[in-house]
PDB file of all heavy atoms in Angstrom:
ATOM      1  N   PHE W 784       9.882  27.209  -8.893  1.00 94.00           N
ATOM      2  CA  PHE W 784      10.783  26.454  -8.023  1.00 94.00           C
ATOM      3  C   PHE W 784      10.099  25.150  -7.645  1.00 94.00           C
ATOM      4  O   PHE W 784       8.935  25.142  -7.247  1.00 94.00           O
ATOM      5  CB  PHE W 784      11.081  27.233  -6.735  1.00 94.00           C
ATOM      6  CG  PHE W 784      11.966  28.417  -6.920  1.00 94.00           C
ATOM      7  CD1 PHE W 784      11.428  29.657  -7.216  1.00 94.00           C
ATOM      8  CD2 PHE W 784      13.345  28.305  -6.802  1.00 94.00           C
ATOM      9  CE1 PHE W 784      12.231  30.766  -7.386  1.00 94.00           C
ATOM     10  CE2 PHE W 784      14.166  29.408  -6.966  1.00 94.00           C
ATOM     11  CZ  PHE W 784      13.610  30.640  -7.268  1.00 94.00           C
ATOM     12  N   ILE W 785      10.817  24.040  -7.777  1.00 93.00           N
ATOM     13  CA  ILE W 785      10.360  22.763  -7.225  1.00 93.00           C
ATOM     14  C   ILE W 785      11.239  22.539  -6.009  1.00 93.00           C
ATOM     15  O   ILE W 785      12.445  22.341  -6.112  1.00 93.00           O
ATOM     16  CB  ILE W 785      10.475  21.614  -8.232  1.00 93.00           C
ATOM     17  CG1 ILE W 785       9.569  21.901  -9.431  1.00 93.00           C
ATOM     18  CG2 ILE W 785      10.113  20.279  -7.563  1.00 93.00           C
ATOM     19  CD1 ILE W 785       9.626  20.857 -10.517  1.00 93.00           C
ATOM     20  N   PHE W 786      10.616  22.637  -4.830  1.00 94.00           N
ATOM     21  CA  PHE W 786      11.337  22.709  -3.569  1.00 94.00           C
ATOM     22  C   PHE W 786      11.106  21.423  -2.785  1.00 94.00           C
ATOM     23  O   PHE W 786       9.981  21.108  -2.408  1.00 94.00           O
ATOM     24  CB  PHE W 786      10.805  23.912  -2.779  1.00 94.00           C
ATOM     25  CG  PHE W 786      11.737  24.445  -1.737  1.00 94.00           C
ATOM     26  CD1 PHE W 786      12.479  25.590  -1.969  1.00 94.00           C
ATOM     27  CD2 PHE W 786      11.868  23.803  -0.517  1.00 94.00           C
ATOM     28  CE1 PHE W 786      13.323  26.094  -0.997  1.00 94.00           C
ATOM     29  CE2 PHE W 786      12.720  24.295   0.455  1.00 94.00           C
ATOM     30  CZ  PHE W 786      13.460  25.456   0.216  1.00 94.00           C
ATOM     31  N   ASP W 787      12.165  20.672  -2.528  1.00 93.00           N
ATOM     32  CA  ASP W 787      12.064  19.427  -1.764  1.00 93.00           C
ATOM     33  C   ASP W 787      11.831  19.724  -0.286  1.00 93.00           C
ATOM     34  O   ASP W 787      12.488  20.589   0.296  1.00 93.00           O
ATOM     35  CB  ASP W 787      13.338  18.592  -1.902  1.00 93.00           C
ATOM     36  CG  ASP W 787      13.356  17.757  -3.161  1.00 93.00           C
ATOM     37  OD1 ASP W 787      12.355  17.751  -3.898  1.00 93.00           O
ATOM     38  OD2 ASP W 787      14.384  17.105  -3.417  1.00 93.00           O
ATOM     39  N   TYR W 788      10.903  18.986   0.291  1.00 95.00           N
ATOM     40  CA  TYR W 788      10.607  19.077   1.723  1.00 95.00           C
ATOM     41  C   TYR W 788      10.721  17.674   2.288  1.00 95.00           C
ATOM     42  O   TYR W 788       9.804  16.866   2.187  1.00 95.00           O
ATOM     43  CB  TYR W 788       9.196  19.655   1.916  1.00 95.00           C
ATOM     44  CG  TYR W 788       8.804  19.916   3.343  1.00 95.00           C
ATOM     45  CD1 TYR W 788       9.543  20.788   4.141  1.00 95.00           C
ATOM     46  CD2 TYR W 788       7.690  19.308   3.894  1.00 95.00           C
ATOM     47  CE1 TYR W 788       9.175  21.045   5.452  1.00 95.00           C
ATOM     48  CE2 TYR W 788       7.307  19.558   5.203  1.00 95.00           C
ATOM     49  CZ  TYR W 788       8.048  20.427   5.978  1.00 95.00           C
ATOM     50  OH  TYR W 788       7.679  20.684   7.281  1.00 95.00           O
ATOM     51  N   LYS W 789      11.902  17.374   2.853  1.00 93.00           N
ATOM     52  CA  LYS W 789      12.231  15.993   3.214  1.00 93.00           C
ATOM     53  C   LYS W 789      11.796  15.583   4.611  1.00 93.00           C
ATOM     54  O   LYS W 789      11.494  14.425   4.851  1.00 93.00           O
ATOM     55  CB  LYS W 789      13.732  15.779   3.056  1.00 93.00           C
ATOM     56  CG  LYS W 789      14.188  15.924   1.612  1.00 93.00           C
ATOM     57  CD  LYS W 789      15.686  15.745   1.483  1.00 93.00           C
ATOM     58  CE  LYS W 789      16.090  15.876   0.038  1.00 93.00           C
ATOM     59  NZ  LYS W 789      16.660  17.168  -0.274  1.00 93.00           N
ATOM     60  N   SER W 790      11.823  16.536   5.537  1.00 94.00           N
ATOM     61  CA  SER W 790      11.455  16.201   6.909  1.00 94.00           C
ATOM     62  C   SER W 790      11.059  17.461   7.661  1.00 94.00           C
ATOM     63  O   SER W 790      11.703  18.502   7.521  1.00 94.00           O
ATOM     64  CB  SER W 790      12.624  15.522   7.633  1.00 94.00           C
ATOM     65  OG  SER W 790      12.274  15.246   8.971  1.00 94.00           O
ATOM     66  N   THR W 791      10.010  17.353   8.449  1.00 95.00           N
ATOM     67  CA  THR W 791       9.547  18.474   9.255  1.00 95.00           C
ATOM     68  C   THR W 791      10.433  18.649  10.485  1.00 95.00           C
ATOM     69  O   THR W 791      10.808  19.757  10.840  1.00 95.00           O
ATOM     70  CB  THR W 791       8.083  18.241   9.688  1.00 95.00           C
ATOM     71  OG1 THR W 791       7.287  18.106   8.503  1.00 95.00           O
ATOM     72  CG2 THR W 791       7.559  19.379  10.523  1.00 95.00           C
ATOM     73  N   ASP W 792      10.768  17.556  11.125  1.00 94.00           N
ATOM     74  CA  ASP W 792      11.547  17.574  12.362  1.00 94.00           C
ATOM     75  C   ASP W 792      13.018  17.858  12.074  1.00 94.00           C
ATOM     76  O   ASP W 792      13.635  17.193  11.235  1.00 94.00           O
ATOM     77  CB  ASP W 792      11.410  16.221  13.072  1.00 94.00           C
ATOM     78  CG  ASP W 792      12.175  16.181  14.361  1.00 94.00           C
ATOM     79  OD1 ASP W 792      11.710  16.794  15.341  1.00 94.00           O
ATOM     80  OD2 ASP W 792      13.256  15.545  14.385  1.00 94.00           O
ATOM     81  N   GLU W 793      13.575  18.837  12.773  1.00 94.00           N
ATOM     82  CA  GLU W 793      14.964  19.229  12.512  1.00 94.00           C
ATOM     83  C   GLU W 793      15.951  18.093  12.792  1.00 94.00           C
ATOM     84  O   GLU W 793      16.854  17.841  11.988  1.00 94.00           O
ATOM     85  CB  GLU W 793      15.354  20.465  13.332  1.00 94.00           C
ATOM     86  CG  GLU W 793      16.775  20.891  13.042  1.00 94.00           C
ATOM     87  CD  GLU W 793      17.244  22.047  13.898  1.00 94.00           C
ATOM     88  OE1 GLU W 793      16.551  22.426  14.856  1.00 94.00           O
ATOM     89  OE2 GLU W 793      18.334  22.561  13.602  1.00 94.00           O
ATOM     90  N   LEU W 794      15.786  17.396  13.904  1.00 94.00           N
ATOM     91  CA  LEU W 794      16.728  16.312  14.225  1.00 94.00           C
ATOM     92  C   LEU W 794      16.637  15.179  13.214  1.00 94.00           C
ATOM     93  O   LEU W 794      17.656  14.607  12.815  1.00 94.00           O
ATOM     94  CB  LEU W 794      16.489  15.799  15.642  1.00 94.00           C
ATOM     95  CG  LEU W 794      16.828  16.781  16.767  1.00 94.00           C
ATOM     96  CD1 LEU W 794      16.507  16.183  18.130  1.00 94.00           C
ATOM     97  CD2 LEU W 794      18.284  17.215  16.684  1.00 94.00           C
ATOM     98  N   GLU W 795      15.413  14.864  12.776  1.00 92.00           N
ATOM     99  CA  GLU W 795      15.262  13.832  11.755  1.00 92.00           C
ATOM    100  C   GLU W 795      15.897  14.288  10.440  1.00 92.00           C
ATOM    101  O   GLU W 795      16.535  13.503   9.743  1.00 92.00           O
ATOM    102  CB  GLU W 795      13.782  13.514  11.531  1.00 92.00           C
ATOM    103  CG  GLU W 795      13.555  12.413  10.505  1.00 92.00           C
ATOM    104  CD  GLU W 795      12.093  12.092  10.334  1.00 92.00           C
ATOM    105  OE1 GLU W 795      11.506  11.518  11.268  1.00 92.00           O
ATOM    106  OE2 GLU W 795      11.543  12.404   9.257  1.00 92.00           O
ATOM    107  N   HIS W 796      15.740  15.565  10.124  1.00 92.00           N
ATOM    108  CA  HIS W 796      16.338  16.099   8.894  1.00 92.00           C
ATOM    109  C   HIS W 796      17.858  15.980   8.958  1.00 92.00           C
ATOM    110  O   HIS W 796      18.499  15.588   7.979  1.00 92.00           O
ATOM    111  CB  HIS W 796      15.913  17.555   8.675  1.00 92.00           C
ATOM    112  CG  HIS W 796      16.144  18.033   7.290  1.00 92.00           C
ATOM    113  ND1 HIS W 796      17.371  18.483   6.853  1.00 92.00           N
ATOM    114  CD2 HIS W 796      15.313  18.115   6.229  1.00 92.00           C
ATOM    115  CE1 HIS W 796      17.277  18.834   5.582  1.00 92.00           C
ATOM    116  NE2 HIS W 796      16.032  18.621   5.176  1.00 92.00           N
ATOM    117  N   ILE W 797      18.434  16.298  10.103  1.00 93.00           N
ATOM    118  CA  ILE W 797      19.890  16.168  10.273  1.00 93.00           C
ATOM    119  C   ILE W 797      20.301  14.705  10.116  1.00 93.00           C
ATOM    120  O   ILE W 797      21.285  14.401   9.438  1.00 93.00           O
ATOM    121  CB  ILE W 797      20.341  16.735  11.633  1.00 93.00           C
ATOM    122  CG1 ILE W 797      20.160  18.260  11.650  1.00 93.00           C
ATOM    123  CG2 ILE W 797      21.794  16.355  11.943  1.00 93.00           C
ATOM    124  CD1 ILE W 797      20.324  18.900  13.023  1.00 93.00           C
ATOM    125  N   HIS W 798      19.523  13.807  10.714  1.00 89.00           N
ATOM    126  CA  HIS W 798      19.828  12.379  10.604  1.00 89.00           C
ATOM    127  C   HIS W 798      19.784  11.906   9.144  1.00 89.00           C
ATOM    128  O   HIS W 798      20.631  11.134   8.702  1.00 89.00           O
ATOM    129  CB  HIS W 798      18.848  11.569  11.460  1.00 89.00           C
ATOM    130  CG  HIS W 798      18.995  10.097  11.308  1.00 89.00           C
ATOM    131  ND1 HIS W 798      20.048   9.397  11.858  1.00 89.00           N
ATOM    132  CD2 HIS W 798      18.233   9.194  10.653  1.00 89.00           C
ATOM    133  CE1 HIS W 798      19.931   8.118  11.539  1.00 89.00           C
ATOM    134  NE2 HIS W 798      18.830   7.971  10.813  1.00 89.00           N
TER     135      HIS W 798
END
Side-chain angles (χ1 to χ4, degrees):
F784 288 89
I785 297 178
F786 202 102
D787 277 356
Y788 185 59
K789 296 178 179 101
S790 178
T791 301
D792 181 75
E793 181 184 10
L794 292 178
E795 182 178 290
H796 197 278
I797 292 169
H798 174 74

